[in-house]
Amino acid sequence: VYDKMRDMNPLFLLMPGDLHYANPSSSDAEPHRIAYEEKVLQQPRESKFLKDIPIAYIWDDHDFCGDNNDGTSGCGLAAYQAYTEYVPHYDFGAPEGSRSIYQAFTVGRLRFIMTDLRSERREGDIMSIDQKNWFKKEVMLAKKNNQMVCWVSSVSYSGTRSDNWGAYPESRTELGNFFRDSNVTNLFIISGDAHMLAID
C-alpha cells in the first residue's frame, strides 16, 4: 500500500492513530523510540514512502501507551518524548508543560484540526478543558475565515463502544450542541480505529 500511495504523489499522509501496533507501555522513552525505529522506519516500503512524503500524524492507543490505555497509564511522558524526537509535527495547541500533541494546519481553504484523544483521556472525559477550548476556538476561527474543517479524531465519533466516543456521551453531546448552537456547517470528520473503510 505504501508503494501504491507513493506512486500517487500525495501532498502528505494523514494518519489518525495506530501508526504501529507495538503497544509500548513503559515509562522509559526507549521502548517508544524502538517502536518507531523497528515498526516504522525499518520497514522498507514505509520508510521509502516517509522519506519522500510528509506526514501529519496523531497517536491513538497502540502507538501511545498500549491497547486501550490513556493518560492515566503512567507512560505519557515517555510517549511524548519519543513522539517529539521522531515525528515531524506542527506547533502543539496545548499549554506549556503539557504532554498532549493536538495540532492544526491549513492546506488551501481546508483547516485540519487534529485532536489528541489519548493523553488527556480520563474517566468521564475524552479531552481536557484546555483542549476542548482550543478545539472550539479553532473551529470558530476556520468558520470566520471561510475554511472547511477536517476534524481528525483517532476514534469513531458515532461509535458505541467503550474505547471510542460512545464511552463519553456527555463530551460528545457538549460538542454536538456547540456545533449546532454555533451553526457550524463547514466541518467533516476523519476517524481512525474503526478497522474498516467507510463513509457516513
Side-chain angles (χ1 to χ4, degrees):
V1 70
Y2 283 103
D3 287 344
K4 294 289 187 185
M5 291 192 298
R6 188 169 173 272
D7 289 344
M8 296 176 74
N9 194 30
L11 288 177
F12 60 93
L13 172 66
L14 183 64
M15 175 58 68
D18 294 341
L19 180 63
H20 61 72
Y21 274 68
N23 292 305
S25 57
S26 175
S27 59
D28 178 8
E30 193 59 21
H32 298 266
R33 293 183 185 114
I34 290 171
Y36 284 121
E37 287 282 350
E38 294 182 354
K39 302 296 183 184
V40 180
L41 299 176
Q42 291 179 17
Q43 302 304 309
R45 289 183 173 89
E46 189 172 3
S47 179
K48 186 177 180 182
F49 177 89
L50 292 172
K51 285 178 182 176
D52 292 338
I53 307 297
I55 186 171
Y57 154 58
I58 202 87
W59 57 34
D60 195 41
D61 53 350
H62 295 291
D63 48 358
F64 172 62
C65 286
D67 194 16
N68 295 339
N69 275 337
D70 57 29
T72 64
S73 62
C75 71
L77 179 59
Y80 177 85
Q81 185 175 344
Y83 180 99
T84 56
E85 290 172 359
Y86 277 82
V87 180
H89 56 83
Y90 294 90
D91 290 339
F92 298 139
E96 186 80 25
S98 173
R99 301 171 188 171
S100 295
I101 61 169
Y102 50 92
Q103 53 197 280
F105 62 99
T106 301
V107 176
R109 289 177 54 198
L110 188 57
R111 185 68 173 167
F112 291 86
I113 304 175
M114 304 173 69
T115 48
D116 178 355
L117 304 180
R118 282 296 162 186
S119 71
E120 298 181 336
R121 183 183 294 212
R122 303 287 187 276
E123 186 176 341
D125 215 338
I126 196 167
M127 285 195 280
S128 68
I129 292 172
D130 283 334
Q131 184 172 183
K132 271 193 235 175
N133 289 338
W134 170 86
F135 175 72
K136 291 174 183 177
K137 183 179 176 183
E138 282 285 339
V139 168
M140 295 309 294
L141 190 59
K143 181 181 177 186
K144 178 182 176 184
N145 291 331
N146 199 30
Q147 294 173 317
M148 183 65 76
V149 172
C150 172
W151 174 18
V152 183
S153 170
S154 61
V155 294
S156 174
Y157 184 74
S158 59
T160 58
R161 298 190 178 191
S162 61
D163 194 42
N164 58 39
W165 280 91
Y168 304 92
E170 291 180 4
S171 295
R172 184 165 57 187
T173 298
E174 177 188 345
L175 288 182
N177 289 343
F178 161 71
F179 297 143
R180 180 199 62 206
D181 296 343
S182 303
N183 194 29
V184 173
T185 59
N186 59 316
L187 181 145
F188 65 95
I189 306 171
I190 290 181
S191 301
D193 204 41
H195 293 249
M196 63 179 177
L197 184 62
I199 187 166
D200 182 354

